[in-house]
Amino acid sequence: MEKEIKLMKGNEALAEAAIREGVDGYFGYPITPQSEVLEYLAAERPWLRTGMVVLQAESEVAAINMVYGGAGTGKKVMTSSSSPGVSLKQEGISYIAGAELPALIVNVMRAGPGLGAIQPAQADYFQATKGGGHGDYRLITLAPSSVQEMYDFVHTAFELAFKYRTPAMILADGAIGQMMEKVTLKPQKERLADDKIKELYPWATTGRKKDAERTFITSLDLDPERFERHNHALQAKYKKIEENEVIVEMLNVEDAEYIIVAFGTSARVSFKAMDLLREEGYKVGLVRPITLWPFPKKEISQLAEKVKGILTVEMNAGQMVEDVRLAVNGRIPVEFYGRMGGMIPSPEEVVDAMKQKLIGG
Amino acid sequence: MTEEIIIAGFGGQGVLSMGKILAYSAIMQDMEVTWMPSYGPEMRGGTANVTVILSDERISSPIITRYDTAIILNQQSMTKFEHTVKPGGLLLYDPNGILHPPTRTDIRIAKVEAAKEAAAMKMPKGFNMIVLGGLLKINPLVKTENVVKGLKKSLPERYHHMLADNEKALMRGMEIVETVHDL
């Protein structure tokens, strides 16, 4: 079969992936720089293609609670927004995590804090990976760095979300959302029929049969002893995810003396910086965490045994660098270079930062 | 082969779509492509630019500060991008509205009178195809037949009656482009 290849924006690729993944419902609210997700879905009319529901809610808060409701019935549901909109969704995300439901939340980050700016940023790393809402919960967080990954990670995110009954996030940024690249599309998957959902997901509220146990979905429990047991169960699940689901890409680390750690757009910029530094004879490698949570602690810890220093590059004031430092635990210098406010570092800036902070120092 | 290109001009000149057509043409010949627009308030009038990277390999940074080729379509963009062309690279410009033509001697410089020609051909919308034709004559990054194929793929069917005119504009660009400075 001939491959189906298209030139698409990251946001469009994400929307098309949702249709082809057999998603049952998308609930959104427009915000730059991710509005093309909803626009694409509205233009494609997937309700005619697969029966998928696409709904523009009255607000972000409404959208995330529609996701909560849809997920409770065992349906494959998702929402997307950009930073200020994702802040509004945090209460709902905490409820979904607490109620142990699978769902996908997409954040195409722009600069903050506040209403911020519409240009790309990565300043929601803490919010995504440390729990932006209340309570002890974690979000599986995938960071695409190409349009193809925007497409592919919709599948990966739902796989993980359903495997662990926990919400997953795709944490992209305005550059990935707005740029166009070549995308290889996958064949259309069927949406699950209702009786299949009943069979696969006994926890889902699909209507009680006579004499059957009542399924009950909530994030509330007024009995602290029982609720502590629930919290322990959540933590055990998160531990399993940390042990089994780390995804990381490592380039040129075999002979590397210095490492750049970066994700998303910063990783693309750092990829070029690595090439430029190698042209000058410096042995530099790149570690690109694809899952930001679970974080590739083990991989970075092992590299700390053999390299001289690590530079973390981010479009924020230094967030992931804290996780890199935890993994390195003081054994080698970990430096940081970042831009904020919607500015993207250039490859040359990263080259200079590496020379000034590590190689020359 | 990796070619890093900036196309810069006014909003409404078809800068972004020229980049898109170039990107689609490269896909037609199995290359990797990245098309990175300047997005934001500057799109509403004012300058618009897009970075297009074509490569046989995986493409690294979509954000770059130095280019193999710069296509410059207004004075603001000339001021901003003339010095960003890598030594040995190419600067192609339309002299219409350019007050300070490029002065560098370490790059190739070519000009294409696209605005004038588009008006003469009574095809104001053919402007960007004339420029693209000029580029491909000087630097045949993609095959002309793939541009036509790419155009067909990127245009919605309701515009397919304009394909012939676009092809004509592309060919005209190839005829009228002039080398100003060669290495």
Side-chain angles (χ1 to χ4, degrees):
Chain A
M1 204 181 85
E2 208 188 319
K3 275 203 288 183
E4 198 181 342
I5 290 172
K6 271 185 120 173
L7 180 70
M8 297 179 108
K9 281 192 174 193
N11 290 332
E12 296 166 347
L14 178 100
E16 180 62 29
I19 301 172
R20 294 197 184 210
E21 180 62 20
V23 166
D24 296 298
Y26 169 92
F27 307 94
Y29 189 80
I31 180 170
T32 307
Q34 67 78 58
S35 292
E36 291 87 355
V37 178
L38 189 52
E39 287 168 11
Y40 184 93
L41 289 171
E44 277 299 312
R45 301 196 288 172
W47 48 94
L48 301 178
R49 274 166 69 177
T50 68
M52 176 184 177
V53 170
V54 176
L55 195 144
Q56 178 175 333
E58 66 269 38
S59 72
E60 286 88 349
V61 177
I64 193 66
N65 283 294
M66 289 172 185
V67 167
Y68 185 17
T73 66
K75 300 276 185 186
K76 214 181 246 188
V77 288
M78 66 181 287
T79 184
S80 69
S81 189
S82 177
S83 306
V86 177
S87 290
L88 288 165
K89 292 181 203 276
Q90 292 302 325
E91 180 198 40
I93 294 172
S94 170
Y95 280 45
I96 293 168
E100 293 195 86
L101 295 175
L104 170 60
I105 301 110
V106 181
N107 183 357
V108 183
M109 289 180 280
R110 60 191 242 179
L115 208 45
I118 61 172
Q119 303 298 333
Q122 298 180 319
D124 305 346
Y125 177 92
F126 282 155
Q127 185 193 57
T129 62
K130 314 286 175 193
H134 58 282
D136 279 312
Y137 76 92
R138 293 288 193 172
L139 267 184
I140 294 173
T141 306
L142 296 160
S145 80
S146 66
V147 175
Q148 183 70 52
E149 285 187 344
M150 267 305 243
Y151 185 93
D152 293 341
F153 288 179
V154 171
H155 169 75
T156 315
F158 274 116
E159 281 271 303
L160 292 169
F162 274 89
K163 183 171 172 188
Y164 293 99
R165 274 182 62 188
T166 200
M169 174 173 274
I170 292 178
L171 189 68
D173 63 66
I176 307 281
Q178 292 298 324
M179 75 184 180
M180 286 207 272
E181 292 187 319
K182 188 164 103 174
V183 190
T184 305
L185 303 176
K186 301 206 173 76
Q188 177 68 51
K189 265 196 241 170
E190 295 241 4
R191 285 175 49 238
L192 288 186
D194 284 351
D195 47 351
K196 191 78 188 162
I197 289 176
K198 278 185 195 172
E199 183 194 318
L200 287 174
Y201 313 131
W203 47 264
T205 50
T206 48
R208 186 165 71 114
K209 280 207 194 96
K210 246 191 195 159
D211 309 322
E213 283 273 325
R214 199 182 287 275
T215 50
F216 190 54
I217 285 169
T218 183
S219 67
L220 175 76
D221 192 335
L222 296 176
D223 175 346
E225 281 181 20
R226 193 171 55 204
F227 197 53
E228 189 183 43
R229 284 198 297 278
H230 172 67
N231 263 280
H232 277 307
L234 284 178
Q235 293 304 316
K237 173 165 83 176
Y238 297 148
K239 195 160 170 258
K240 222 160 126 191
I241 296 172
E242 287 187 320
E243 280 162 7
N244 297 311
E245 306 298 349
V246 169
I247 313 173
V248 58
E249 182 180 28
M250 301 205 266
L251 295 169
N252 287 335
V253 296
E254 296 73 21
D255 67 338
E257 294 180 354
Y258 298 95
I259 295 284
I260 305 174
V261 183
F263 68 97
T265 294
S266 297
R268 293 283 296 266
V269 173
S270 300
F271 184 171
K272 180 144 193 129
M274 171 183 75
D275 283 348
L276 294 172
L277 284 158
R278 285 216 165 232
E279 278 169 25
E280 291 185 48
Y282 300 112
K283 289 183 177 157
V284 175
L286 175 66
V287 172
R288 176 170 76 93
I290 290 173
T291 49
L292 301 179
W293 189 86
F295 190 72
K297 297 189 249 207
K298 213 191 302 165
E299 290 76 4
I300 290 172
S301 175
Q302 283 164 1
L303 282 172
E305 289 297 318
K306 48 179 261 198
V307 304
K308 293 180 187 164
I310 293 179
L311 178 71
T312 304
V313 179
E314 303 174 61
M315 280 137 62
N316 58 41
Q319 301 193 9
M320 182 178 69
V321 66
E322 294 191 1
D323 286 328
V324 176
R325 288 195 172 120
L326 279 172
V328 168
N329 201 13
R331 283 172 289 169
I332 52 167
V334 176
E335 296 288 347
F336 170 75
Y337 182 73
R339 295 294 300 265
M340 292 177 282
M343 296 301 291
I344 305 177
S346 72
E348 289 79 10
E349 284 171 52
V350 177
V351 166
D352 289 348
M354 177 60 102
K355 285 184 186 167
Q356 279 164 20
K357 290 172 190 265
L358 285 168
I359 297 173
Chain B
M1 187 279 271
T2 297
E3 184 78 12
E4 296 174 325
I5 306 161
I6 179 92
I7 310 173
F10 286 121
Q13 275 178 320
V15 163
L16 299 185
S17 42
M18 192 195 320
K20 220 192 286 191
I21 294 159
L22 192 56
Y24 242 116
S25 318
I27 286 183
M28 296 291 130
Q29 46 197 70
D30 273 337
M31 296 175 86
E32 298 299 319
V33 300
T34 294
W35 175 96
M36 177 77 212
S38 59
Y39 72 90
E42 71 266 42
M43 282 165 65
R44 322 241 149 94
T47 58
N49 67 68
V50 61
T51 300
V52 179
I53 306 171
L54 317 177
S55 183
D56 300 323
E57 292 164 31
R58 178 176 169 183
I59 294 170
S60 60
S61 181
I63 309 300
I64 43 182
T65 51
R66 298 171 71 241
Y67 306 91
D68 299 303
T69 295
I71 300 166
I72 293 179
L73 304 171
N74 66 7
Q75 181 58 48
Q76 286 97 318
S77 303
M78 185 67 82
T79 309
K80 197 167 167 192
F81 292 111
E82 181 184 355
H83 69 277
T84 64
V85 181
K86 296 177 196 169
L90 169 69
L91 189 159
L92 172 69
Y93 73 106
D94 182 342
N96 179 45
I98 299 285
L99 301 170
H100 308 289
T103 54
R104 282 179 60 179
T105 53
D106 60 339
I107 56 173
R108 287 197 290 165
I109 297 173
K111 66 175 181 183
V112 58
E113 298 258 13
K116 208 167 118 189
E117 195 62 27
M121 291 170 81
K122 296 199 170 48
M123 281 175 52
K125 284 190 172 166
F127 168 78
N128 60 357
M129 292 304 286
I130 298 174
V131 176
L132 185 58
L135 170 73
L136 295 180
K137 172 75 181 184
I138 304 274
N139 188 358
L141 292 165
V142 291
K143 294 191 189 118
T144 313
E145 73 227 47
N146 285 329
V147 177
V148 179
K149 264 198 239 170
L151 200 58
K152 205 167 171 182
K153 270 216 119 173
S154 63
L155 274 181
E157 224 155 90
R158 63 180 185 278
Y159 295 125
H160 279 191
H161 65 278
M162 292 160 75
L163 284 173
D165 275 355
N166 275 290
E167 205 177 332
K168 212 164 90 188
L170 188 77
M171 298 305 165
R172 188 69 188 135
M174 291 184 164
E175 288 163 18
I176 63 169
V177 67
E178 291 170 50
T179 297
V180 178
H181 181 263
D182 213 347
L183 293 174

